[in-house]
Amino acid sequence: MAEPILKVNSVTKCFGGLTAVDDVSFSVEKGEIVGLIGPNGAGKTTLFNVISGYYAPTKGSVIFQGNDISGKPPYHLAGVGIGRTFQVVKPFAGLTVLENVTIASFLKHPKKADAERHAWQVLETTGLADRANVSAAGLTLAGRKRLEISKALALDPSFLLLDEVVAGLNPTEADRTVELIMKLKAQGLTILIVEHIMRVIMNISDRLVVLNFGKKIAEGTPSEVSSDPHVVQAYFGEEAA
Amino acid sequence: MMELLPQALTDGILLGGIYITIAIAFSLTYGVMHVIDFAVGEWIMFGAFTGYYLNKWTGLDPFLFLPVIFVLYFGVGYVIQPVIHRVLSGTKGNPFLMGLVFTFGLAIMFRGLALTAFGFYSNSIPSAFSEGSFNLEPLGLTVTIPTVRLVGLGYAVAITLILHYLLKKTNFGLGVRALAQHKDAAGLMGVNSKRTGSYVYGIYVGISAMTGVLLGCILSIGAQMGNEYTIFAFFVVVLAGMGYLAGVPWAALLLGLVQSIFMIYFNPSHTLLAVFAILYIILLISPRGLFGKGV
Amino acid sequence: MKNRGATILAIIGAALLILPLVMHDTFVLRVLTEGIMWIGLAIAFDVIAGYTGYLNFGHGAFFGIGAYTIGILMMQANLPFWAALPLGGVAAGITALIAGIPTLRLKGAYFAIATWALSRAIQQLALNVEFTGGPDGMRLEAFLNPQFFYYLMLITVGVIFATLWYLLERAPFGLKLKAIREDEEGAKALGLNPTKLKMQSFILSALPTGILGGIYAYWITFIDPSSTLGDLVSDQAVVMVVFGGMGTLFGPALGAILIFAFKTLFWAYLSDFQLLYLIILGALIAISVIFIPNGLWGTMVKRKAGATRPEQKAEPASEPAALSAVAAPEEGN
Amino acid sequence: MKFGFVRVLLLIAALFVAIPAYAEQRNFFKIGVITELSGDLVTGGNITKRGYDLWAQEVNAKGGIEVQGKKYPVKLVYADAQSNPAAGAAAAERLITQEKVDFILGPYSSGVTLAVAPVVDKYKIPMITGSAESPLIWKNKFKYTFGTIPPINFTGATSIKTLTEMKPAPKTIAIIGSNDAFSKATAEAYKTAAEKAKLKIVKFSIVPSGQDMTPLLSAVRSMKPDVIAFGGHDEEHVKFVKALKQIGYTPKALLMHCGITDKAFIDAVGKDGEQIFGTTCWTGTAKTKSKVLWPNAAAYAAASQKAYNNPGDYTQGGCSAAGIAFQTALQKVGAKPGMDEAMRTKLIQALEQIDVQTFYGRVKFATSGEFYHANVGLDPLTVQIQGGHVKTVGPKASVEAPAIYPMKEWKSR
Amino acid sequence: MNLLDVNGISVNYGDIQALWNISFSVAKGQLVALIGANGAGKTTTLKSLCGLIPTASGTIHYDGKLVTGMPVHKVVDLGITLVPEGRQLFPKMTVEENLLVGAYLKRAHGKRAQTLKRIYEIFPRLEERRTQTAETLSGGEQQMVAIGRALMQDPQVIMFDEPSLGLAPIMVQEVFKVIQELHNQGLTIFLVEQNVHQTLKVADYCYVMENGRIVGQGTGKDLEADESIREAYLGF
């Protein structure tokens, strides 16, 4: 088997006394979709921030395509092919949708005309083209989530970190987003996704990694994971003894 | 030169006392309302002139009027605060910046009003305390402490203690601190953010106005005096860490001591250069003030 | 629309170019020269304040450094004006570089006050060293040709405007800066290096300011620490930019024209009411902040667009990012 | 909306054009006044303005300036220099090109004067400043700029000399100056004079403007100088006296300069102002005799008292004297309102040759050397505040009252 | 009698509608729960109840009084309080000060010494840490302070927003024990939770929320048997 595209080696991240991520290891193979799940506050977003360079791990390392990227700044990681979205969508509110995506396109297309052309293409893919010229602040939540994906995609990444891009959408919109993710996978992208909507993540993930209290409590295919008693307990709370 | 050191330290501390009174309420206002009030010097100036005229009309010692001036300017601050609140809670543009520019406009306007109303001459407020000084020679120290400056330091200590008491020991103070730390949670505790903000701003304007009287007794007053004190208020508050009240006395004393030591032991014309260089260096090393506790 | 805008700009430009040929009032030329200078200063200030979101209260320092550089080079090194002028810009740019390394790490009020302290320190430095003439200031050789300075200022500011317009509105750079302004953290994920971009914008703001300072020095023939290194330039620039509308080039230009015109008319024809000027200016600033927080241009452009942009209600952030709530759900199609 | 923008521009343009520069045949002298009516130097600017105003008022009360048998009233047109050299230069340009003034009465501060002087040179419009006295101006040898107040380096020596004549003679001096052009020049002038008079200078310091000087004065106190001399502006004078009093050090003599002659200073510090020495060229009680306007200083002081509730200080007097200088020169060359360039050149020549006794004293401008175009006709005076009044205490020829020396302790006042 | 009556409220964030015509009620002395996936609108509901965010339409009555449009400090004065998500303590204040802020209202101020004593009895750990600043506490301790602070207000209704969020299992147990305890003492409780099992067990009545709408309701027992809840949460 080829070298995994991403390897997370015993990553620990502490904030003061709080250990948000505790000795987590897993890897992602090229072309797969790995779901990262766990109850609220389990440390998923923190782990995302470590992988995407926002936090340096307190311990452990992150290896991307064979290179140690732990502690490298996010803009460097964007350059080597890691795109990410944010859980709390924060578009550049004062700018239009097209401008938002164009900014990301500059990474691979330094000329403005090229970047804009590329941004249009991305918007076509994500279905936002008809809203290209509206202010990003004027988008609906679904639109903003799609804009998040568009921005990440405009980087032409080889690896995508998606943080709750479905949560909060109605079923129709959710289905469209799932469709989009599957399309991206078909194009060869590797994806690590955090999602709360189980329906979605169970369907699209090749493998799941489950976190609780910052620790990895399970890993495996969706069916393996869903029958794991630890996981069920993590989600529904402990049965009172 | 070493025999000057006790006097240098005394002068520095007394000067620091003045800076405390300029900065402490200003810092409180920043902590609670998150506004940098460019008009701080103008409040001081207005207070100074009010004291000056009250003294002129009644012939009574200006220190007797401090409560009157406080109440008067508390009212002024209380009335103005909602406007500032409105600017700061705006959703358009950059509210922080707008707050800054708004008070900047106020400061310009106040200066114009003062020049019109009070004229352009420098003046001084006479007080019984202006006479006399204490000599520490009996203690073997060649140190002179001017009474009026000692009163100033006493005022600074009193204001600091009163604010400390108000903030730490009263229910109102608890509400103010809660508001400064977490606005929504404070609301959930029943703190009326608008009214509390008005009280705080009123207290700040009132204290600044009283400080003006003091400065008029120690130094001089004039319609354009505000700017200079605004500078020192900024300096102290930033050095202390913005909104970090406990840091203010230390920052103010440091400023006073730096000025005093520099004037005596180095080239006095470099005093301000040194002061700004220190501010700059401290911001580099610890961007949130001396104690790293600014907000 | 774009064509019409370009046409109007071209007409204004042409009118400004022809003006001295048909009008010989040197006072009006002088006023226009200064007005144009303020446009340049305001738009240069807006690069860092409006586009990048960092309020520089020490902008005047760049102006003064430019002025002093030209003064010193011309009077003490006997350099010709044309050789000295670019060096004024370079000196301001280098100052921005040195000043920016530490200050650009600071946010909001701290940045504003740190830059302001820095400009004060520079002013004190100029007061205390020999080669600036200290408090006496410095006199430059008088070359009082109104047409020369008018054209010099017009062309310089024209070039500054065009360059900034190209960089900020046409080239990727402006968009990148806006991304930093809107969300510095988020911008990192898109491959932008905020530190580098902020520094570039700081230098881009300083450089033209230094050049304008240099022209000013040669034009006015006398500079001293209080007039070139004081708060005047920063204060005026703030007022003009906020009044006109931040984050655009036309807004600050409009603000500069209006504020400067108001000031000049008041000054020229209502001198007896000079103190009233302060009161009116102060009130104007305060009132415009309350009623047109987006500035004149921002308000005008929006009204034209016919739709007001709904402002995003800031989501209350809870402490560690790991615990933050998800955005509110929304309407289905 | 772009049209809105254009409309605004047009409106502004229209405003500038609408108030036209009318070239009129007038029967009065139109005089531009450039001074600091706003900004940091507003105090000095307004004192300057009073001086010019009082002169114009007096001239007009007499029906105007009589030139070849016909009286021409004067009309002053003000332009605020905003304490800013650029605004000063613009003011000059406007007064000259738009208002078409006949001549100009100049700014309070040296900085603004230095920016205005090249402009008046260029248009060949004469200017007399009644206030600016920095040595720098005269070193630059501007052809069209004159000044009625002698530079401080011309006057400073007198007071030092007066002090050295006191008994017992002072031996040591501490000199402090504020770090602005005028104050620093004052301090340096005192320093030069003290060195010449063989006084021991125990301290010479320049301090940033507007600061509290107490710590420095504490250091000075430890050196126990006989004389303390200070160069500063009005607000600093007040601070200085109070600081000195607060630390409880009374030198044998405290020397400031012209600023203390203003009634406002005496009002501000009250009895603490007593016995402070100053350097000036004129006081309301100076023994002057004149045939132009006011017959002597006392008459001027009375007029000023009536107009401003203030007898006026030497800056104000200098400004009124500037008017008189013009007046005299105009009469001499027979200039009428609306002078052409040739006439103005003649006026300059007349000014260079002027030698007139005014209420202010003798006005005579130097025509060469480091005081080029500054008034060197005056005798500098040493003054002292006595009983709330400014009394001349030196040099001998002008003494009104004997100097009180040493100074009375602050405490026992 | 219903203490809290929510009738058809809608809430917008800018142009985005977050709540759609929400109606429910809480009777005096009941423990009512609101469950739903992340982002369903639970926190928004709570915030609009106590006046932290404005409602676009609909009414909220508390004890017969209309509270819609009231500022938050007036709402809490009526006797409703919220233990907010993420605790929202005053980080630089000590534990005791945090608790005392709870008694800021005149209504509660008089009995504050007494209430404080009671709270220290419920949470002895807080008494040990009373002089420590809130930011130095562990998550569980912070949650205790948040609950204690709410109790200091002497409320009739306490609303909890995900009190077990981010807590260790042992602490979750503790928190639920406290909630149950308070309920037993007669307090009215409105609980928003993600810990479905525990919640359904303690709740008298439950509402289920999805996408800003109430999509189901019933007693805890009814819903526990309902497969759709399990599906909504886990998708299997």
Side-chain angles (χ1 to χ4, degrees), chain C residues 209-246:
Chain C
T209 311
I211 289 178
L212 292 173
I215 299 176
Y216 170 93
Y218 193 32
W219 178 42
I220 300 300
T221 75
F222 175 75
I223 52 175
D224 68 358
S226 64
S227 63
T228 59
L229 284 164
D231 286 335
L232 183 77
V233 171
S234 317
D235 289 358
Q236 293 253 52
V238 171
V239 172
M240 286 168 174
V241 169
V242 169
F243 185 70
M246 304 182 80

Side-chain angles (χ1 to χ4, degrees), chain D residues 2-290:
Chain D
K2 290 268 163 64
F3 278 122
F5 184 66
V6 172
R7 225 177 293 152
V8 169
L9 280 179
L10 285 176
L11 191 73
I12 292 163
L15 269 167
F16 274 106
V17 181
I19 306 168
Y22 49 95
E24 80 275 64
Q25 268 308 77
R26 52 180 184 238
N27 54 0
F28 60 88
F29 283 106
K30 194 167 182 184
I31 303 156
V33 177
I34 301 170
T35 194
E36 293 83 340
L37 300 175
S38 64
D40 292 340
L41 304 171
V42 59
T43 312
N46 274 284
I47 291 173
T48 321
K49 179 172 184 283
R50 282 180 181 177
Y52 296 142
D53 278 345
L54 202 60
W55 168 73
Q57 202 181 307
E58 191 68 19
V59 165
N60 289 338
K62 296 209 151 75
I65 299 173
E66 191 175 328
V67 180
Q68 295 174 343
K70 191 169 181 307
K71 283 187 173 176
Y72 299 97
V74 298
K75 182 168 176 265
L76 301 187
V77 186
Y78 299 101
D80 177 17
Q82 299 171 336
S83 310
N84 176 4
E93 192 112 42
R94 180 173 85 76
L95 292 175
I96 295 167
T97 64
Q98 294 223 316
E99 300 286 351
K100 310 241 183 282
V101 297
D102 293 308
F103 52 90
I104 287 176
L105 293 167
Y108 167 72
S109 75
S110 309
V112 175
T113 309
L114 279 166
V116 170
V119 179
V120 299
D121 262 18
K122 180 188 158 200
Y123 289 100
K124 302 192 165 55
I125 299 287
M127 169 170 84
I128 305 181
T129 160
S131 156
E133 52 186 311
S134 161
L136 288 176
I137 304 170
W138 319 118
K139 276 187 197 139
N140 274 293
K141 298 203 186 333
F142 295 106
K143 191 157 187 288
Y144 284 80
T145 301
F146 295 80
T148 44
I149 294 189
I152 184 70
N153 50 347
F154 178 80
T155 50
T158 308
S159 327
I160 299 287
K161 186 161 174 286
T162 308
L163 290 177
T164 52
E165 285 159 5
M166 297 289 145
K167 301 235 155 56
K171 294 192 176 59
T172 52
I173 184 168
I175 301 166
I176 296 166
S178 191
N179 201 3
D180 63 76
F182 168 72
S183 307
K184 198 176 164 194
T186 307
E188 274 160 2
Y190 286 151
K191 187 179 169 204
T192 313
E195 279 163 355
K196 227 174 178 175
K198 305 254 183 309
L199 278 172
K200 190 180 170 213
I201 300 170
V202 294
K203 184 105 185 160
F204 177 79
S205 289
I206 301 297
V207 292
S209 304
Q211 299 305 295
D212 177 18
M213 287 159 283
T214 315
L216 180 62
L217 292 177
S218 293
V220 167
R221 180 182 61 176
S222 72
M223 298 159 181
K224 302 203 179 351
D226 295 330
V227 179
I228 296 181
F230 175 62
H233 279 285
D234 54 333
E235 179 230 0
E236 289 151 352
H237 286 148
V238 175
K239 281 184 180 166
F240 194 88
V241 171
K242 290 177 85 173
L244 209 51
K245 179 187 176 185
Q246 283 166 15
I247 63 164
Y249 182 66
T250 323
K252 289 189 181 129
L254 173 56
L255 172 64
M256 303 227 200
H257 56 88
C258 58
I260 63 149
T261 61
D262 193 312
K263 186 168 164 282
F265 171 75
I266 301 171
D267 286 349
V269 292
K271 63 182 174 7
D272 296 335
E274 285 298 305
Q275 298 162 23
I276 293 176
F277 288 95
T279 297
T280 187
C281 290
W282 181 82
T283 70
T285 52
K287 295 169 189 163
T288 54
K289 262 206 175 82
S290 167

Side-chain angles (χ1 to χ4, degrees), chain A residues 94-96 98-99 102-103 106 111-113 116, chain C residues 2 9 43 46-47 50-52 159-179 181 204 245-253 297 301, chain D residues 2:
Chain A
L95 310 180
T96 67
L98 182 66
E99 285 173 331
T102 307
I103 287 165
F106 288 143
K111 280 202 180 135
K112 192 163 181 180
E116 269 180 12
Chain C
K2 223 162 222 164
L9 267 183
I43 58 174
D46 197 40
V47 175
Y51 281 85
T52 322
V159 169
I160 292 171
F161 196 97
T163 311
L164 291 183
W165 187 77
Y166 174 75
L167 283 175
L168 299 172
E169 297 292 337
R170 277 282 155 265
F173 185 64
L175 265 186
K176 290 181 180 173
L177 289 189
K178 286 180 184 170
R181 176 190 71 196
L204 188 63
M246 304 182 80
T248 63
L249 287 181
F250 289 103
W297 185 257
V301 168
Chain D
K2 290 268 163 64

Side-chain angles (χ1 to χ4, degrees), chain A residues 46 54 112 140-141 144 170 173, chain C residues 170 185 312 322 328 330 332:
Chain A
T46 306
Y54 278 86
K112 192 163 181 180
T140 60
L141 182 71
R144 286 189 215 175
N170 69 27
E173 291 163 351
Chain C
R170 277 282 155 265
E185 289 302 305
Q312 192 189 7
E330 48 96 42

